[in-house]
Amino acid sequence: METRKIRTALVGCGKVADFHALAYAGLSHSDFVACCDNNIERAKAFAERFGIRAYDNVEQMIRECGVEMVSVCVPHPLHAALAVQAADLKCNVLVEKPLAVSLEDCDKIINAGKDNGVQIGMIAQRRFYRPCMRIRQAIDEGKLGEPIIGTVNM
């Protein structure tokens, strides 16, 4: 039995977009159909490389292409508005880290997912990186006290 393909797209055609596009284009259960950027020329150039449609309007892209899953790959301050907009259009959302720039915006995104019955996810690509796993274990075991903030330099 063949698995139904999910219509995927991304918002923001900057430096991280290639990683999402290559993943969507390479997944057997993904039908990578579109990209969106506020700079339509950049969106068109990106779309040409992947054989997809280019947009400069998220709602139009989701509606016209029947997008079911979208990656939000824009600067951090724009995450919340675009993620909420996509969720309100009944589209599942994957957001580049951080989810948002404030707790209030994080709550808006989470609530939009719940209110619209869609999945919200966030990229945390280092979660299975051994040093990160060791730090997480130390936190869980109480070896570091109760962290309130953390920074990483790599």
Side-chain angles (χ1 to χ4, degrees):
M1 184 170 132
E2 189 174 319
T3 304
R4 182 183 77 80
K5 290 190 174 200
I6 297 168
R7 296 180 65 77
T8 57
L10 58 86
V11 179
C13 297
K15 62 183 179 180
V16 76
D18 279 338
F19 294 105
H20 289 257
L22 290 169
Y24 284 148
L27 289 170
S28 62
H29 55 281
S30 167
D31 182 14
F32 185 39
V33 296
C35 66
C36 182
D37 195 280
N38 63 353
N39 178 332
I40 191 62
E41 294 308 316
R42 180 168 46 187
K44 286 178 181 178
F46 190 91
E48 187 174 321
R49 289 186 13 238
F50 289 94
I52 59 175
R53 294 177 64 184
Y55 290 87
D56 62 1
N57 180 290
V58 173
E59 181 175 359
Q60 183 182 9
M61 176 187 74
I62 290 172
R63 291 191 190 282
E64 286 184 7
C65 293
V67 174
E68 301 168 272
M69 172 74 200
V70 65
S71 283
V72 175
C73 305
V74 297
H76 306 153
L78 304 176
H79 285 184
L82 292 167
V84 168
Q85 181 183 20
D88 285 346
L89 292 164
K90 310 297 187 220
C91 189
N92 298 289
V93 182
L94 183 63
V95 182
E96 265 296 330
K97 65 177 178 8
L99 182 60
V101 294
S102 71
L103 180 58
E104 180 182 356
D105 281 349
C106 289
D107 288 341
K108 287 178 185 177
I109 295 169
I110 292 165
N111 289 332
K114 288 178 183 176
D115 293 346
N116 291 289
V118 296
Q119 296 292 311
I120 304 292
M122 184 192 74
I123 296 292
Q125 74 271 26
R126 296 279 181 172
R127 67 189 173 281
F128 297 118
Y129 183 56
R130 290 257 183 246
C132 293
M133 292 171 67
R134 284 197 310 270
I135 293 292
R136 178 60 197 221
Q137 183 177 359
I139 292 169
D140 290 345
E141 292 173 357
K143 292 180 179 178
L144 300 177
E146 186 175 336
I148 57 170
I149 192 167
T151 62
V152 175
N153 293 314
M154 297 178 68

